[in-house]
Amino acid sequence: MSTNNENSIETSQPNETTGKSDKHKTKMQKLKSVVDASIAAADKEQGIIILMTGNGKGKSSSGFGSAARALGHGHKVGVVQFLKGEFTTGEFLFFSQQPNCEYHAIGDGFTWNTQDRDSDIATAKKAYAQTEKFLQDESVDLVVLDEITYMFKYDYLPIEPFLTALRQRPKMQTVIITGRGAKPELKEIADTVSVIDDVKHAFRAGIKARPGVDW
Amino acid sequence: MSTNNENSIETSQPNETTGKSDKHKTKMQKLKSVVDASIAAADKEQGIIILMTGNGKGKSSSGFGSAARALGHGHKVGVVQFLKGEFTTGEFLFFSQQPNCEYHAIGDGFTWNTQDRDSDIATAKKAYAQTEKFLQDESVDLVVLDEITYMFKYDYLPIEPFLTALRQRPKMQTVIITGRGAKPELKEIADTVSVIDDVKHAFRAGIKARPGVDW
């Protein structure tokens, strides 16, 4: 990757510049080998379905940490956030600015009014349409479906079409599903299931939720 | 925040530009009110200690999702990663490029050779020095100490100085500690403890770890 050119800056300048250039070269070589290995490995593997559920803190943040990880490897990420809206969370403010990340937060559309259920079902269906789009898009490496579990738990969406879409998705695509109250079918279809137990929670100790920490 | 200037582009151009400008203005106003609320709320609250432990997937990624969330709110984040090294993880590749995030991944320095324990203890101490620096820095809003639990579990570091540093940290600073085998003292001092249970794991089903998903 590097060439030994006698006129190059590495051989013609004294210590400090040489040291910095060598260090930078080494870093870039390392970066290249990581990316190459990433591409090579990816060709041999398959995407998985990860379910983050349970009552404890960490479900959504784990989905977003995984999104950051994927973006760091140059992957393309699609996010649909079912319960939260735009401009209300740090994750929206942060990820919606990232190249290679397409972010839809549709939570603002819900009324949660039992007398307005039709409107909420329509909102859920709109979000689901975007979900299916991602699940059919081979260019999307990672799909994060934050708090989609509630859509099935409260029967805003039927679960069978979703299971079918998951099964038929691009082979290399990974999907992360987060939220409490995951139906058994989701636990069944997932390759990895993490249940987060709420052993102790700051809220119960009287400490208020904080922006930047809790949303 | 916006002014009605008759010479401004909003009043002098036809529909499309006006629509786009209004939409942008609304977005910016929304953003401003979120940031203002964030600042106001932060003045009344306190930082917390969050421990993500257990055997299941999601501990580290939750720490990094929280980092993204904090960065989205314009907060400053300090990360010390104890087991992983530079240029080997998506999170390093991603977060080390973010303004407002200072990232130290020291895992490459470990030999894990029982006959080289002194060298490993020296590496651990170096990482701990950076940890203490963050914990004493009022400008750092969120400190993520990824997989620090092993330093105490394997006695590379004494735990008491760390507990003291946590207690004496800036009042508004939040700390996230991740890793398996967390000592009881860590569970005791944390405000929020999430234990992730490894109910099902893709590895056991024979699916290999993948870059962008698992690291």
Side-chain angles (χ1 to χ4, degrees), chain A:
Chain A
M1 192 174 144
S2 57
T3 57
N4 267 344
N5 180 347
E6 279 188 354
N7 293 328
S8 78
I9 202 168
E10 292 91 86
T11 51
S12 62
Q13 300 289 350
N15 295 348
E16 199 189 59
T17 312
T18 307
K20 277 186 189 164
S21 294
D22 284 347
K23 196 173 174 192
H24 178 72
K25 243 195 313 183
T26 306
K27 274 192 173 175
M28 288 303 103
Q29 282 163 344
K30 264 181 148 174
L31 180 56
K32 182 184 190 301
S33 64
V34 165
V35 173
D36 287 348
S38 181
I39 292 165
D43 283 343
K44 300 195 200 78
E45 316 298 348
Q46 69 182 68
I48 58 173
I49 300 171
I50 301 168
L51 172 64
M52 304 293 306
T53 191
N55 289 335
K57 176 183 173 67
K59 300 181 288 292
S60 293
S61 44
S62 179
F64 289 107
S66 299
R69 186 173 272 171
L71 290 170
H73 280 278
H75 295 175
K76 190 172 163 192
V77 179
V79 180
V80 184
Q81 216 171 10
F82 283 79
L83 253 56
K84 295 178 185 146
E86 293 189 339
F87 291 104
T88 55
T89 64
E91 53 264 29
F92 178 86
L93 295 168
F94 183 77
F95 284 103
S96 57
Q97 296 176 57
Q98 305 300 326
N100 273 342
C101 184
E102 193 183 324
Y103 201 119
H104 298 262
I106 63 98
D108 282 340
F110 283 104
T111 66
W112 300 115
N113 184 341
T114 45
Q115 299 182 333
D116 215 349
R117 212 175 133 77
D118 284 347
S119 165
D120 285 354
I121 286 173
T123 300
K125 283 186 170 166
K126 210 171 109 187
Y128 182 71
Q130 179 60 55
T131 300
E132 273 206 345
K133 247 182 110 183
F134 281 146
L135 293 175
Q136 289 160 0
D137 187 345
E138 206 173 311
S139 75
V140 178
D141 301 291
L142 174 69
V143 182
V144 180
L145 303 172
D146 186 49
E147 299 192 289
I148 192 178
T149 54
Y150 304 97
M151 299 296 106
F152 308 113
K153 179 174 161 137
Y154 296 118
D155 291 315
Y156 282 111
L157 291 172
I159 201 165
E160 283 302 330
F162 179 55
L163 299 175
T164 302
L166 286 174
R167 285 186 205 105
Q168 293 179 347
R169 77 187 191 284
K171 181 174 180 283
M172 303 306 293
Q173 188 186 76
T174 285
V175 183
I176 298 177
I177 299 166
T178 81
R180 299 186 194 206
K183 280 194 158 179
E185 295 94 319
L186 294 180
K187 294 182 179 178
E188 181 58 44
I189 201 173
D191 300 291
T192 292
V193 177
S194 286
V195 178
I196 308 188
D197 187 25
D198 192 17
V199 166
K200 195 176 177 188
H201 210 294
F203 295 167
R204 295 201 290 266
I207 300 169
K208 291 183 185 175
R210 294 186 61 213
V213 178
D214 296 289
W215 77 86

